Amino acid sequence: MENIEIARQLDEVADLLEIQEANPFRVRAYRNAVRTIRELAAPLEKMVTEEADLTALPGIGKEMARHIGELVTAGAMGVLAELREAVPATLVQIMRVPGVGPKSARKLWKELGIEGVEELKEAAEQGRVAGLKGFGEKKQAQILAGIEQWRRHTARYRIDEAAEFVKPLLAHMRSLAQAERMEVAGSYRRRKETVGDIDILVLSSEPEPVMEHFLAFPAVADVLAAGDTRGSVILRSGLQVDLRIVPEESYGAALVYFTGSKEHNIRLRQRALDRGLSISEYGVFELPRDASTTAEAGAPASGEAREDGRWKAGREEADVYEAVDLPYILPELREDRGEIEAAEKGTLPELVALEDLRGDLQMHSTWSDGKNSVEEMLQGCVDRGYEYFAITDHSKALAMIDGLDREALERQLEEIEEVAARHPEIRILRSMEVDILADGALDLEDEMLEALDLVVISIHSMFNLPAGRQTERVLRALQHREVDVFAHPTARLINRRDPVSFDLEEVLSCAAEHRVAVELNANPHRLDLKDTHLTLAKRLGVKVVISTDAHRVVDLDLMSYGVEQARRAWLEPEDVLNTLSRDDFLAYIGLG
Ligand code: DGT
Ligand code: CA
Ligand code: CA
Ligand code: ZN
């Protein structure tokens, strides 16, 4: 069991305790443990197996250590199971609505019988919430606005959040022999930055036990539908999962269908019709000669595809593409953004892959808000096979999180020099994440900027400037001759903070002219620039660097999230600067 899952379960305990009005000290003990575990680099599971003393960790007492031990060894915690019995699972979601804390959630539940967000909305619209003691009209209006906001921001799950819930479900399904093949399809497979729900496809000749096993997954909170071959559930996290079970001859066709996107599928179906064929989730079929030419006509709507004499293909995805005279198209490209045309012409891109990356160009150390030392970060980069990396601690404008002033930077550079001398196997770039100040000036003296190997700049303040002024601010910063990389350019946080507004085309053109690269920040909370913006950057001749912005060694593994978005943007290795070898990269930034 991964640390993140352990933290999530302890957090749920804290939520449920709060709803039950438990002793605040007890609640705080859980929250403290969650914070510690989220920041912990070592896997707890291993610590437990090796009988390490968990109470040596900050915020973890005897009792908590026992809960964690139980969770790791038995796969579940008694305390959570009991709380879940006592409190409806959906109540935790109510607490996430802005303006509704645990106390309100409890009151709404106990006095109005409200257990979910949908019911809360209904009650508020009918004016029943205002009548509760301590609520009133104003709070009721606040709650309605809060629900709107909650919907906008949490209706879709970040890809990493979804992964956290999907992985245990897949492990659960894989333990079943009757599930012969399995794949997560939908937007999750296309690696979209957020997903609405999860679509799972299973190949099996025995659907019944597969469906039973799916419904028995411990995190299922609610069953929406459960037929012979299709099921749909809501997990405790609120995430919906749709399951489809298909026979062998339809697996490839169903995988194409449920991977989507819808727009991509429509194009494929049209191509099929042009060839006297029809594509459905069951397979590729010969159209009867007199069939009408609408996309829906002609395909049998049953699961017994093979028994239909007109079945032509459907076992593998590639067979489906071949049937319409196309090479296989990777899931990341299936958005109808030109991939069908490129496939037809044989000009599909050779997408950048994780193995192509030779370095990571944004990370923090204990000199600012990172959790690991320069040398520990170095070891992490060596372990990942990199040839170079940059330490980019914050500049002094971020005093709150220990941004470095000139003097601190000088001391940090001394330490880097010492560490570098011990480690010739990798090149440390002396760098800094320098703040772009309100007027577009940089938060470091020119003399120091010149002394650095790589200057990374970014916005951490004044997010709400009107577009005109924001554009001017950024253009001024990009024109500074020492600047190499513009990091997380739009400063968005997925589901939490909107991107800043500026004229993207003007900014990218300026970056191209001044040979500044733009960052694809790989942290799944950011993914900034996003896929479509990266495609524009490529078109305008701007190089991209993919960096993790790691604040601890394990964050270096976030690189794969960045690579996925780069692939969705059609980027190839030559578009990404940190695929260059050490010598070529150093030459590129003028350190040849
Ligand atoms: P999401 O869940 O909103 O992040 O996005 P998707 O792409 O996973 O969409 P979802 O879950 O509604 O459906 C999964 C796939 O099933 C979708 O990508 C394509 C296919 N699909 C769903 N509805 C339709 C439809 O009405 N027509 C066609 N051609 N395909 C559909
Ligand atoms: Ca989906
Ligand atoms: Ca779905
Ligand atoms: Zn930053």
Side-chain angles (χ1 to χ4, degrees):
M1 185 172 289
E2 291 185 39
N3 286 1
I4 187 160
E5 173 61 17
I6 297 170
R8 197 193 59 74
Q9 294 207 22
L10 293 173
D11 213 25
E12 190 179 336
V13 171
D15 286 345
L16 294 173
L17 283 174
E18 274 200 278
I19 290 176
Q20 291 211 329
E21 295 184 310
N23 182 331
F25 290 104
R26 203 169 155 220
V27 175
R28 197 169 316 145
Y30 282 92
R31 301 274 190 223
N32 287 342
V34 168
R35 197 167 321 122
T36 297
I37 295 169
R38 292 223 160 106
E39 309 221 314
L40 191 65
L44 272 174
E45 183 168 315
K46 189 153 162 266
M47 294 179 71
V48 170
T49 357
E50 289 171 357
E51 293 181 9
D53 179 15
L54 298 186
T55 61
L57 297 169
I60 305 226
K62 261 216 192 105
E63 162 108 355
M64 201 59 61
R66 201 170 49 73
H67 289 313
I68 295 169
E70 187 190 358
L71 181 54
V72 168
T73 43
M77 274 185 298
V79 59
L80 181 55
E82 278 166 33
L83 284 164
R84 279 175 176 173
E85 287 287 309
V87 180
T90 45
L91 213 54
V92 173
Q93 282 177 29
I94 292 192
M95 265 179 68
R96 303 267 144 80
V97 172
V100 185
K103 281 210 181 72
S104 308
R106 180 187 168 81
K107 221 169 185 172
L108 290 160
W109 173 43
K110 287 283 176 196
E111 295 184 25
L112 295 179
I114 291 170
E115 297 191 354
V117 176
E118 219 26 72
E119 288 166 33
L120 175 58
K121 182 160 184 262
E122 215 181 282
E125 279 167 354
Q126 293 166 352
R128 285 188 286 132
V129 173
L132 274 186
K133 197 167 161 235
F135 277 65
E137 294 290 339
K138 202 167 150 204
K139 173 128 183 174
Q140 177 169 278
Q142 240 172 27
I143 288 177
L144 274 174
I147 293 175
E148 274 299 299
Q149 197 182 330
W150 177 82
R151 280 265 157 70
R152 228 178 16 243
H153 281 304
T154 49
R156 297 185 67 82
Y157 289 72
R158 286 192 327 267
I159 184 94
D160 62 311
E161 284 178 296
E164 186 185 321
F165 306 127
V166 166
K167 281 180 187 162
L169 173 57
L170 284 184
H172 170 81
M173 294 304 289
R174 289 224 159 90
S175 68
L176 190 74
Q178 285 94 335
E180 294 161 47
R181 287 172 77 178
M182 184 177 348
E183 192 91 51
V184 182
S187 51
Y188 186 84
R189 184 165 181 240
R190 304 197 310 280
R191 306 313 284 165
K192 274 190 74 160
E193 61 187 37
T194 60
V195 303
D197 70 3
I198 294 293
D199 308 277
I200 297 185
L201 192 67
V202 172
L203 189 172
S204 181
S205 52
E206 294 175 69
E208 204 176 309
V210 175
M211 186 59 70
E212 255 171 46
H213 192 67
F214 174 62
L215 299 177
F217 180 55
V220 168
D222 207 359
V223 176
L224 301 178
D228 297 339
T229 59
R230 48 176 94 189
S232 196
V233 300
I234 305 275
L235 302 183
R236 287 185 183 285
S237 54
L239 183 62
Q240 180 173 333
V241 182
D242 297 340
L243 174 78
R244 289 293 289 259
I245 308 166
V246 299
E248 192 248 333
E249 68 271 16
S250 296
Y251 188 71
L255 196 47
V256 170
Y257 183 88
F258 290 109
T259 298
S261 65
K262 196 170 157 185
E263 293 72 20
H264 177 87
N265 288 352
I266 290 172
R267 294 292 305 278
L268 287 185
R269 284 216 303 263
Q270 190 53 49
R271 266 184 92 81
L273 289 176
D274 296 344
R275 286 161 177 74
L277 300 170
S278 100
I279 296 181
S280 76
E281 57 202 282
Y282 304 110
V284 182
F285 298 84
E286 207 89 60
L287 273 178
R289 284 187 182 281
D290 58 347
S292 74
T293 49
T294 68
E296 308 299 334
S302 85
E304 278 101 47
R306 287 276 352 238
E307 283 155 36
D308 191 296
R310 295 171 295 155
W311 182 90
K312 283 199 61 185
R315 284 201 173 82
E316 301 292 337
E317 281 192 303
D319 303 343
V320 176
Y321 285 98
E322 201 189 319
V324 293
D325 304 314
L326 290 177
Y328 178 74
I329 298 176
L330 289 164
E332 298 95 313
L333 297 178
R334 300 183 195 170
E335 299 288 351
D336 191 21
R337 292 181 188 154
E339 72 278 9
I340 308 259
E341 291 78 0
E344 184 160 52
K345 283 189 277 181
T347 57
L348 282 170
E350 294 282 340
L351 298 180
V352 63
L354 186 58
E355 305 77 61
D356 295 325
L357 276 287
R358 310 274 192 102
D360 190 335
L361 299 175
Q362 196 194 155
M363 71 190 65
H364 301 263
S365 74
T366 42
W367 281 95
S368 64
D369 58 341
K371 302 290 177 214
N372 289 103
S373 67
V374 170
E375 192 154 15
E376 286 164 343
M377 295 310 284
L378 177 142
Q379 197 52 53
C381 289
V382 170
D383 292 345
R384 283 157 185 79
Y386 292 151
E387 299 169 19
Y388 50 89
F389 72 103
I391 291 283
T392 55
D393 281 307
H394 288 289
S395 64
K396 63 182 181 299
L398 296 184
M400 254 170 33
I401 51 170
D402 293 334
L404 274 56
D405 59 16
R406 176 181 180 144
E407 195 206 339
L409 177 61
E410 281 170 350
R411 281 188 286 129
Q412 186 227 36
L413 293 179
E414 273 168 37
E415 178 181 319
I416 287 179
E417 203 161 315
E418 282 165 32
V419 174
R422 286 197 292 275
H423 295 280
E425 70 273 29
I426 192 165
R427 172 68 186 253
I428 312 185
L429 296 165
R430 302 173 314 147
S431 184
M432 179 174 246
E433 185 184 5
V434 182
D435 256 56
I436 301 175
L437 301 174
D439 60 354
L442 301 183
D443 187 29
L444 188 66
E445 299 84 343
D446 281 0
E447 192 190 343
M448 292 308 290
L449 289 168
E450 277 162 33
L452 295 175
D453 298 330
L454 185 82
V455 174
V456 177
I457 59 169
S458 61
I459 294 176
H460 290 117
S461 62
M462 317 275 285
F463 300 111
N464 296 324
L465 286 183
R469 280 183 60 202
Q470 196 71 277
T471 307
E472 271 171 40
R473 175 191 186 193
V474 170
L475 291 183
R476 177 168 174 215
L478 289 173
Q479 286 166 29
H480 195 293
R481 73 195 142 74
E482 295 299 330
V483 172
D484 298 294
V485 179
F486 183 18
H488 52 71
T490 72
R492 71 157 175 179
L493 294 174
I494 294 174
N495 285 346
R496 276 194 288 152
R497 185 169 70 213
D498 288 335
V500 298
S501 23
F502 54 52
D503 185 330
L504 182 68
E505 200 150 340
E506 210 174 324
V507 164
L508 290 174
S509 302
C510 179
E513 184 186 338
H514 294 269
R515 223 159 153 271
V516 175
V518 289
E519 182 184 81
L520 158 48
N521 192 296
N523 188 308
H525 290 264
R526 289 191 183 269
L527 300 176
D528 183 10
L529 290 176
K530 65 187 240 175
D531 53 5
T532 50
H533 291 170
L534 293 165
T535 309
L536 182 62
K538 174 173 175 159
R539 186 151 62 73
L540 295 174
V542 183
K543 294 287 182 201
V544 173
V545 308
I546 311 178
S547 302
T548 60
D549 199 352
H551 282 67
R552 52 184 71 91
V553 172
V554 285
D555 292 349
L556 294 169
D557 291 328
L558 299 175
M559 189 61 96
S560 58
Y561 286 107
V563 171
E564 290 162 6
Q565 296 308 310
R567 290 165 67 85
R568 286 179 54 79
W570 294 48
L571 298 193
E572 300 180 281
E574 63 261 34
D575 302 315
V576 180
L577 272 187
N578 47 333
T579 62
L580 291 176
S581 69
R582 171 171 165 161
D583 287 347
D584 289 347
F585 182 77
L586 292 178
Y588 186 93
I589 59 172
L591 291 177

